Amino acid sequence: MFTPKLPWNKSYSKADFRDDFFAGMTTGVMLIPQAMAYALLAGLSVEVGLYASTIPIFVYAFMGSARSLAVGPVAMDSLLSAAAVGAVALSHPAVSETEKTMMAALLAFMVGIVLVVMGLLKMGRLVSLLTPIIISAFTSAAALIIGINQLKLILGIDLVKSSKVYVIVGDVFAKIGTTHLTTLILGVVAIGLLLALKKFAPKVPRAFVVVGLGVMAVLLGDLGAEGVKLVGAVPQGLPAFSTPWMDWSIVAELVPHAFIIALVAFMEAISISTKLKKENEELDPSRELVALGTANLSSGLFQGYSVTGGLSRSAVNDAAGAKSQVAALITGIMVVLTLSFFSGVLANIPKAVLGAIIMTAVFGLISIKDAKAVFTTHKQDLPVYAITFLVTLFVGIKEGLIAGVLVNWLINRNKAGTEVTENVEAQQEGA
């Protein structure tokens, strides 16, 4: 049932390939700077994001059932991965930066195992635990955390690593006097350009354009010598096969994080796939679980980290005319070529520009519309929304999701109990 599925069939034509080629190139231009930016968000080196955009893409292309889904690093999973590795690293002070990278790969491998097992057991219904109201509150809070975490890149200062907003904001105020002015100007200009291109030229690959301009500014103005932090040397070539292994105590601590990331990853992918689904396209949730799981397994084995379907890239891929997962193969080939021949260029990308890319991407995830609806027309959802949002923002990412699910379950359980009691009382009165 879960044998690899070719992304083309007998009806696949030259015209389809032309559309896929254009869509794949367009998505690739968008993916490369995004993958690097999201790797920084995950607390990893930029090349790890690119590694997660090679083998996993090829694996999903042959395993998945969604035609337009663009798989790779995404903001939410990057933040969840950073929170997981950071939390576990706190209890293991001797863990080095290299081991943290291995830990992120191990986490991706574990996420893959969870997803594959869920797929084989046909447990796609578990995603119903994450209701739209929980996801909206969680996503908005997480987007704030992600965005505020990028202030260190925009301001050019070192900030405390934390998933709690008040901790980061407090550190910003304490260190605001050490802001690097050139970095700040570069970051603000990048944000302005990204927003302007989104509004006035939405079809232009804005991340790629802004990164290109940032590299030009670095080279022409010798900004590296002025103290602007750059990406630095990126290893040339493809990631090597490597078994990510840590001791059993670390594995045990990562287990709950793996389950959370697996659920969120599947929720993201299946919701995007459903939204972009064509009339003659059949989505198989169980196949999707296995496909995403296998992609994450491969990411863990090739020095990457957790991956899933990205909303913005999938939308661009679909709008560019993708007919099948052949477009994804083209995207993956672009990343491979970049790693093989253009790694030297990547070294001159300012980190402030990558921070600007993340900021503008995640702040679009904050839904003011949903919040207004909860406070006006859907007040019955207020407890779930408020608790999910506040716990995520002030306690932790994982805790926010768990709190939202538990509160939602308790409220629905009490409602069901009340309805049963009312029915019994009505029957007794009728008797």
Side-chain angles (χ1 to χ4, degrees):
M1 178 180 177
F2 298 110
T3 53
K5 180 180 181 181
L6 293 177
W8 54 81
N9 53 40
K10 292 180 181 179
S11 64
Y12 192 78
S13 64
K14 289 183 179 179
D16 291 333
F17 177 76
R18 283 196 298 270
D19 289 339
D20 278 337
F21 184 83
F22 176 75
M25 292 285 287
T26 303
T27 306
V29 164
M30 183 180 186
L31 170 61
I32 291 168
Q34 272 194 351
M36 297 173 70
Y38 291 151
L40 290 181
L41 175 59
L44 305 167
S45 302
V46 294
E47 66 268 17
V48 180
L50 294 173
Y51 293 162
S53 305
T54 53
I55 307 300
I57 289 181
F58 298 136
V59 169
Y60 180 83
F62 286 95
M63 297 289 291
S65 61
R67 296 183 186 179
S68 301
L69 190 68
V71 169
V74 299
M76 191 65 69
D77 281 20
S78 298
L79 182 67
L80 289 170
S81 181
V85 172
V88 175
L90 282 176
S91 59
H92 297 269
V95 170
S96 65
E97 291 301 317
T98 301
E99 288 173 322
K100 287 181 182 179
T101 301
M102 187 186 298
M103 203 185 297
L106 172 62
L107 182 60
F109 187 82
M110 293 170 67
V111 168
I113 292 174
V114 172
L115 287 168
V116 169
V117 171
M118 286 174 62
L120 295 176
L121 297 178
K122 299 184 178 180
M123 296 171 66
R125 288 173 295 179
L126 276 179
V127 77
S128 62
L129 291 172
L130 302 176
T131 64
I133 198 70
I134 293 173
I135 292 303
S136 177
F138 170 75
T139 302
S140 294
L144 281 172
I145 296 170
I146 295 170
I148 291 172
N149 262 289
Q150 302 319 298
L151 287 175
K152 61 186 177 184
L153 300 181
I154 302 298
L155 300 175
I157 58 180
D158 292 324
L159 296 175
V160 62
K161 292 182 179 179
S162 177
S163 60
K164 299 177 179 64
V165 168
Y166 64 89
V167 174
I168 305 167
V169 172
D171 202 37
V172 169
F173 280 111
K175 298 175 179 176
I176 194 71
T178 61
T179 297
H180 190 267
L181 185 59
T182 305
T183 300
L184 177 60
I185 293 172
L186 193 62
V188 171
V189 169
I191 291 173
L193 283 173
L194 287 164
L195 293 175
L197 288 171
K198 182 179 181 179
K199 183 175 182 179
F200 299 110
K203 293 185 178 180
V204 172
R206 49 189 177 274
F208 184 80
V209 170
V210 172
V211 164
L213 292 173
V215 170
M216 288 178 60
V218 167
L219 295 177
L220 295 175
D222 196 19
L223 298 185
E226 292 186 18
V228 173
K229 294 180 180 178
L230 308 179
V231 164
V234 176
Q236 187 174 21
L238 300 179
F241 179 88
S242 176
T243 305
W245 176 246
M246 311 288 286
D247 63 60
W248 282 110
S249 64
I250 289 179
V251 173
E253 289 181 56
L254 287 175
V255 167
H257 297 282
F259 274 96
I260 294 254
I261 294 175
L263 277 175
V264 173
F266 178 60
M267 178 280 301
E268 287 182 279
I270 202 68
S271 60
I272 294 167
S273 300
T274 301
K275 185 175 182 179
L276 298 178
K277 182 177 175 291
K278 304 296 188 297
E279 287 185 11
N280 59 344
E281 184 178 353
E282 293 184 8
L283 285 177
D284 183 341
S286 295
R287 177 180 283 277
E288 286 302 293
L289 281 165
V290 173
L292 282 172
T294 311
N296 274 280
L297 286 171
S298 68
S299 190
L301 291 172
F302 286 91
Q303 303 178 49
Y305 73 108
S306 305
V307 298
T308 188
L311 176 58
S312 58
R313 291 195 303 273
S314 297
V316 166
N317 194 40
D318 182 69
K323 294 293 189 295
S324 72
Q325 281 291 327
V326 169
L329 298 179
I330 301 299
T331 298
I333 290 171
M334 278 192 67
V335 179
V336 168
L337 292 175
T338 299
L339 279 168
S340 300
F341 301 106
F342 302 105
S343 60
V345 177
L346 302 179
N348 293 304
I349 298 175
K351 287 187 176 182
V353 171
L354 296 182
I357 291 171
I358 297 172
M359 266 194 170
T360 54
V362 300
F363 281 152
L365 298 174
I366 301 173
S367 180
I368 304 298
K369 181 180 178 182
D370 286 351
K372 285 183 178 178
V374 168
F375 280 92
T376 54
T377 58
H378 296 86
K379 291 183 179 179
Q380 70 276 11
D381 294 324
L382 183 56
V384 175
Y385 186 94
I387 289 174
T388 304
F389 182 87
L390 293 174
V391 173
T392 301
L393 198 61
F394 295 108
V395 180
I397 302 293
K398 179 181 75 205
E399 291 83 357
L401 271 179
I402 293 172
V405 170
L406 286 176
V407 171
N408 186 62
W409 176 75
L410 287 171
I411 290 175
N412 287 330
R413 185 188 180 193
N414 289 336
K415 282 182 180 178
T418 301
E419 290 174 0
V420 169
T421 302
E422 290 174 350
N423 289 336
V424 169
E425 291 175 349
Q427 289 172 3
Q428 288 175 343
E429 289 177 4

